[in-house]
Amino acid sequence: MKIDPGLAQFLISTAITEVMGIVRERHAATGDLPTDQEVIDRMKARADRIVEKADAFLRES
Amino acid sequence: MRFFKILSFALVIGLALPLLAACPKAPASVVTPQGRAAFKADQVLARIENLEDVVIRAGTPDAAGHRVISKADADLIVGFCKDAALVIRQTPDGWLAAVRVLWDRAAARIPPADLPAVQGYVLMISVLLEGAGA
């Protein structure tokens, strides 16, 4: 069985992201609570970042 | 060594897939429907961004000029990530059906001969969309 190193790395980083998400959720219960607008702004910023990275990659020949 | 690799892969798959499908709930400070939709959308975008990063690395030649997946396949998946991000940003409370259509179209354009090389990424996106709809 051949393992794609990039995919394995992705799965590991996904697992870490999920654990961090759970930690943030616990932390949010005790403070550092984002407002609705902050959550909306964060979502838009992340979408913009995805588009920028995609454009840079797709421009490469 | 081979057994260890297979075991490691199985463990990672077993850990990651259920976690991938289960996004954290919005914190109590997010009270409006728009805020909750944006929170969930951001969780999905975070996973799409992770996937995009990996596909870009896989589609970028290393020092020896070797790519893990072809540039054409990487372009298809990265293009999907971009289109999905645009749709989600525009309609954070109702993007799923449109993104599923985008993915179906992108996946249909992957040459059958390339599927073994990209099947892991295909699986990740399918699981992500299923999890988002749950």
Side-chain angles (χ1 to χ4, degrees), chain B residues 13-32:
Chain B
I13 286 282
L15 277 173
L17 287 186
L19 288 169
L20 187 70
C23 295
K25 292 176 184 174
S29 60
V30 179
V31 292
T32 65

Side-chain angles (χ1 to χ4, degrees), chain A residues 5-21 24, chain B residues 12 16 19-20 46-47 49-54 57 124:
Chain A
L7 180 59
Q9 187 181 356
F10 167 66
L11 291 170
I12 292 167
S13 71
T14 297
I16 292 170
T17 301
E18 297 297 340
V19 171
M20 291 304 294
R24 276 198 299 272
Chain B
V12 170
L19 288 169
L20 187 70
R47 288 150 181 86
E49 187 176 23
N50 277 348
L51 177 71
E52 179 186 54
D53 290 343
V54 172
R57 278 199 296 275
M124 288 300 105

Side-chain angles (χ1 to χ4, degrees), chain B residues 5 25 40 74 93 105 111:
Chain B
K5 281 185 178 178
K25 292 176 184 174
K40 186 174 181 182
D93 56 348
R105 287 181 185 160

Side-chain angles (χ1 to χ4, degrees), chain A residues 32-45:
Chain A
D32 189 26
L33 299 168
T35 65
D36 288 72
Q37 192 56 50
E38 285 169 343
V39 169
I40 292 168
D41 292 343
R42 189 184 305 165
M43 181 273 294
K44 288 181 176 177

Side-chain angles (χ1 to χ4, degrees), chain B residues 10 25-26 34 39 46 49 57 84 94 102 106 119 125-126 129 133:
Chain B
K25 292 176 184 174
Q34 292 86 353
F39 182 85
E49 187 176 23
R57 278 199 296 275
L102 287 172
Q119 63 184 357
I125 295 171
S126 300
L129 294 180

